[in-house]
Every structure is written in C-alpha cells, then in structure tokens.
Amino acid sequence: IRFDTGGTERMVLDSSGRLLIGYGTSTHVRAVEGAIQVQGTNLDTSSINAVRYSADAYAPILSLGKSRNASAGGQTIVQDGDACGTIAFAGSDGTDLENRVAQIVGQVDGTPGSNDMPGRLIFETTADGAGASTERMRIDSSGNVGIGSTSPSDELHVKGGAGSAFIRVDNSADGHDTGFNIYQNGSRKWEIHSDDSNTDALELRPDGASGKFLFAQNGNF
C-alpha cells in the first residue's frame, strides 16, 4: 500500500508488513530490516521526534523489552546475560550498512525473579580495521564501572594490558597544574600534582630542586 501527498510518495506498507517512511524500499542495517524504517536525505526527513507536553518533570520514553517466550505477548522470564535492548550505530563502507560503529546494550546482570531484574549497561566501540564492536566499558547492577574489566570489583575499576596507561589526568592550560584529588567530607586529603606550587594535607608531587617525586605534608617534603 502506497501513501502519496501532492503526487509524491511519502510512505509504503510493503508485502512483509514493514512501514517504510521516506523511501519505498526496505534497507538492511546490520542484517536487520526493521518493521518501521525512516529514511531521508536531510536531518528532518531522516529523524524521529518524541515530545511530551506536561506540567511536570517527566519526559518521553524509548522502551525496549525482552521476553524468552516465543509467542507475541507471552511472558517467560529472561536469564543472566540476556540482552534486553540494543542501540546500534552503523556506517556505510561503500557497499552496505553491515558494519557497526558502536553500540550500547542493556543486559540482565544476575538471576532475575518476580519484580527483580538486575541489569548492566555495556558500551562498545569498533577499532580501526575492524567491522564489529568490542566492549570498552560497563556499568553493572551494583553501580560499579569497569573500563577494560568485565567484572568490576569497585565503583571504578580500570584494567589495562601490559605497558598501558590506566588513568591519565591532563590540563593544557598555562599556569595551572594537573592534579588527581581525593576528598573526604568536602576536604582534600590526598593529591598527586604535576608541579610543586600547591600544599595539602598529604600529597605526592615533584620536588622542584631535585626533580624527584616525593611525599609532602602541608607543603613540606
């Protein structure tokens, strides 16, 4: 079924039940032919808006759900590791749109039960020379963040390979040092600085005279 306005095709409901808006031929993106497709040649014709007007703090929602039941409408509990929703980004390589640039995946993270659905977010990017994305970071059901680690044991767990830099703090502004600070009850207790101009309770910073990194307390090495 073809829908036209002003003699121009606007929308097609094809023989497979797909709703095609803006372009009457179904397109594969990462081997997926979506039931609803929006295709266009500029920002307006290739975009989808969801706007809520209400005198409160609530916004429109994009909801993605998963059941292990094979029949539409059936409810079968999901399992640990199941993906319940994915936001995928793909780019044309000149031939097709089968190569993923990046993706965000929501997965079950633990054993679910009635009104109990532990989850994690997986963030993936595709390396240069590759066509599939690789996990780079995750937030697990405990709120722990893992970078390079698939089982973060702390609020921030950074794991790198041999010889790699784990954390880098950088500031290119002239006249300002670069620091890594640890606060307790709003007061700075620990810091690592790139110059010797600051004083704190306990710090690890370079001694301008010797050029060595030393421990300092209240500005005294």
Side-chain angles (χ1 to χ4, degrees), residues 18-99:
R18 291 181 290 253
L19 182 61
L20 314 176
I21 301 173
Y23 183 58
T25 301
S26 180
T27 300
H28 285 260
V29 180
R30 282 292 300 171
V32 175
E33 287 188 88
I36 300 176
Q37 301 180 26
V38 179
Q39 302 181 66
T41 57
N42 57 41
L43 180 63
D44 290 338
T45 58
S46 62
S47 299
I48 300 173
N49 290 352
V51 182
R52 174 171 176 163
Y53 298 93
S54 57
D56 51 39
Y58 300 106
I61 295 176
L62 174 63
S63 294
L64 307 174
K66 160 75 175 178
S67 169
R68 274 189 167 256
N69 198 294
S71 300
Q75 300 299 325
T76 300
I77 193 168
V78 291
Q79 299 178 13
D80 184 22
D82 282 358
C84 294
T86 299
I87 302 174
F89 308 85
S92 173
D93 63 357
T95 302
D96 52 39
L97 286 165
E98 298 300 317
N99 295 288

Side-chain angles (χ1 to χ4, degrees), residues 148-214:
S149 171
T150 58
S151 55
S153 56
D154 296 284
E155 291 180 343
L156 177 60
H157 185 164
V158 182
K159 181 180 180 181
S164 63
F166 294 168
I167 299 176
R168 175 172 175 168
V169 182
D170 210 348
N171 187 343
S172 60
D174 291 339
H176 297 279
D177 64 335
T178 297
F180 179 79
N181 304 298
I182 300 175
Y183 285 78
Q184 183 179 13
N185 297 327
S187 177
R188 184 160 54 187
K189 298 299 183 183
W190 262 91
E191 68 171 338
I192 300 175
H193 269 284
S194 60
D195 66 21
D196 57 0
S197 61
N198 288 331
T199 60
D200 284 280
L202 188 61
E203 49 185 324
L204 176 64
R205 54 186 173 87
D207 175 19
S210 67
K212 298 178 180 179
F213 266 92
L214 302 173

Side-chain angles (χ1 to χ4, degrees), residues 89-125:
F89 308 85
S92 173
D93 63 357
T95 302
D96 52 39
L97 286 165
E98 298 300 317
N99 295 288
R100 185 185 303 130
V101 173
Q103 70 175 18
I104 303 171
V105 185
Q107 293 181 344
V108 180
D109 188 29
T111 303
S114 178
N115 298 318
D116 177 17
M117 193 59 58
R120 60 179 174 250
L121 279 177
I122 307 294
F123 298 84
E124 301 180 358
T125 62

